[in-house]
Amino acid sequence: MSTTWSTFDERRWTTLFETWEAWWNHSLDRPVVIYEGYLPGYRETHPQAPPQPSRFFLGDFPLDTPPEQLLQKFEEHLQAAFFVGDAFPRFWINLGPGVLAAALGAQFEFFEGSLWFQPSVSEETPLSEVRLEFNPDQVLWRKALQIAHQAVERWGSRVAIGVTDLGGNLDILASLIGPQRLAMELIDHPLEVERLCAEIRSFWLQAYRDLAQLCASNHRGYTCWGPLYSSRPHYMLQSDFSYMISPAHFRRFVVPDLIRCSQEIPNAFYHLDGKGQIRHLDELLKIESIRGIQWIPGAGEAPPQEWLPLLQRIREANKLCQVYVSSEGALRITRELGGKGFAFVLDDEMSPEQAETIVKTLYEAG
Amino acid sequence: MENILKQIYESVVNGDASSVEELVQQALKAGIAPEAILNEGLIAAMQRVGKLFEEGEFFVPEMLVAARAMQAGLNVLRPILSEKDIQPIGKIVIGTVKGDLHDIGKNLVAMMLEGAGFQVIDLGIDVPPQKFIEAIQEHQPQIVAMSALLTTTIGNMRLTIDEITKAGLRERVKVMVGGAPVTEGYARQIGADGYAPDAGRAATLARQLVGAEP
């Protein structure tokens, strides 16, 4: 049954909580299915609205926009939204992937809807002289905290509030010294890269703890920049830089970080982004504390249902798996591999009735 | 002679820039022709690097350090090649299209092209069509190479080709495209002359487009 924000009552939250809990425990015999859309007519009258409310990008607004204005804007979209299946009212602090990098000194600008970084460490500075310092007053970091505070105050437990995208260890280091330099430093000065990765990790964990605690202070569980819901601390770990590196470099520079972070965050997932990262999958599947894999085929690639052997590898390793997929694609995956252990976030545009029908079919085929 | 060229080749593949620089100087002192150092040492090594990348043995870091080593050798050779009036096999204008600030892929392709014997004019990132047009007029390249890494900017490749056509320059240049969201089919659809899925193959494609390779 579809639900709007105003009718998403405590009973619905309880069911949601129980369903997701069962999914995380591998005891749900069907997939979780998320569909979030707008009530008929809304997109026509609000062409600026994001495709779904949860894709609301705060970077589209000037940086000095007061948080209450941003939340008000988001709330307008939320009021016009409906939720089907295991979807839930969700707001995440979408300031792009560089909040932590910025707090560690990276220079950034919003450009054409994305956050772009310029190296803040000069090329002449040897890596051995690079020292990282966290600036709690950095504008993006302050903004993330202010927005989280105000979101909790404004909506209380009526919305699950998600931790911002903190980036992965090498992604953050790449923002600070430039990706090309980082790629070469992996070979030129691996010990210094390891030292900086360890320093970033401790800042990362502290930033996660601070933000997760704040976001979950409304007692509505945990979510993040990924679409999953969890009663226990959860995060979608990532390392986009890994697209460019060898399995040996991944093992050396990224895996220790993923192990440490996922040991602290009980329901940690990994964002496997693009076919260039498939070579790291075996290594990822060996990390026991990573609970699941989000597979993103990447721009220009076939949709998730065309990657059945890959999805099967993930499931056979007893990991959960999340994909953004069409209804048709979700049905195909369910028919071929079974829906258990999958989280399907449906990305086609549907009316509440159409979405309900497809979700019911997926539950039954589960 | 063969031995020193082999050492140059190996040092480039291993990304050892200081050895390459030293070895190229030694080779010149030993009377080895700069063309031989260029073709059998540096260019051959970069072709091998491209192949290793294609085969999944090398990744971006290994490629970058190899390209840096090749550059170190080229820096020693360049004044001598210029003195002897040895021309590059072609001239290429390269850039990441408007709206896109990604540069690592484009830089890698530029390095591989240089390693394949081309003179490369790098326009940088966020390059509007007009800047490509001005560069064609100024530098008279045989090839224009465009990169895009975003689905939101890939359309600017078509726009750039259309603008080059409107400016009456399309017949004067071959256009090659690449980047994560770009496919062979897309390249055809927008009227490009070639598409390469990675930097190694971009160098091979460019050599083919100027007739330096079958």
Side-chain angles (χ1 to χ4, degrees), chain B residues 6-214:
Chain B
K6 197 165 177 239
Q7 283 179 49
I8 292 172
Y9 175 99
E10 292 296 338
S11 299
V12 170
V13 173
N14 293 331
D16 185 349
S18 54
S19 292
V20 173
E21 192 180 339
E22 215 171 283
L23 286 162
V24 170
Q25 276 161 350
Q26 272 181 38
L28 288 169
K29 270 190 205 147
I32 299 173
E35 301 95 307
I37 301 171
L38 181 68
N39 293 319
E40 293 164 49
L42 305 179
I43 292 179
M46 287 312 283
Q47 281 172 341
R48 176 75 188 133
V49 167
K51 196 83 190 136
L52 287 166
F53 186 81
E54 260 177 59
E55 289 166 358
E57 293 292 321
F58 266 24
F59 299 89
V60 171
E62 291 80 6
M63 252 185 137
L64 283 170
V65 294
R68 182 179 58 187
M70 180 271 300
Q71 286 283 353
L74 210 51
N75 288 344
V76 178
L77 276 188
R78 211 174 264 129
I80 299 151
L81 292 170
S82 156
E83 220 171 79
K84 292 185 74 178
D85 201 27
I86 295 165
Q87 295 299 318
I89 62 167
K91 211 186 273 183
I92 296 187
V93 160
I94 189 169
T96 305
V97 294
K98 186 168 170 48
D100 200 323
L101 304 187
H102 288 99
D103 67 352
I104 194 162
K106 182 264 302 166
N107 292 351
L108 209 48
V109 171
M111 289 175 196
M112 290 303 291
L113 291 170
E114 210 161 10
F118 285 92
Q119 181 187 344
V120 178
I121 295 112
D122 187 347
L123 303 180
I125 52 178
D126 187 27
V127 182
Q130 189 54 34
K131 202 167 164 189
F132 276 107
I133 290 169
E134 286 164 11
I136 296 169
Q137 286 163 334
E138 185 187 340
H139 301 287
Q140 311 280 322
Q142 287 85 10
I143 298 174
V144 169
M146 285 188 272
S147 161
L149 213 82
L150 301 171
T151 48
T152 49
T153 57
I154 186 174
N156 289 333
M157 286 181 160
R158 183 199 289 271
L159 181 72
T160 306
I161 293 176
D162 290 349
E163 292 297 317
I164 291 172
T165 308
K166 273 191 218 156
L169 299 169
R170 183 67 184 87
E171 298 306 314
R172 282 165 49 181
V173 289
K174 300 280 186 193
V175 175
M176 54 188 271
V177 293
V182 185
T183 62
E184 179 97 58
Y186 182 76
R188 263 198 309 272
Q189 202 185 316
I190 63 171
D193 300 294
Y195 154 78
D198 58 54
R201 279 175 277 195
T204 309
L205 171 67
R207 288 175 68 88
Q208 286 165 347
L209 289 174
V210 296
E213 215 167 278

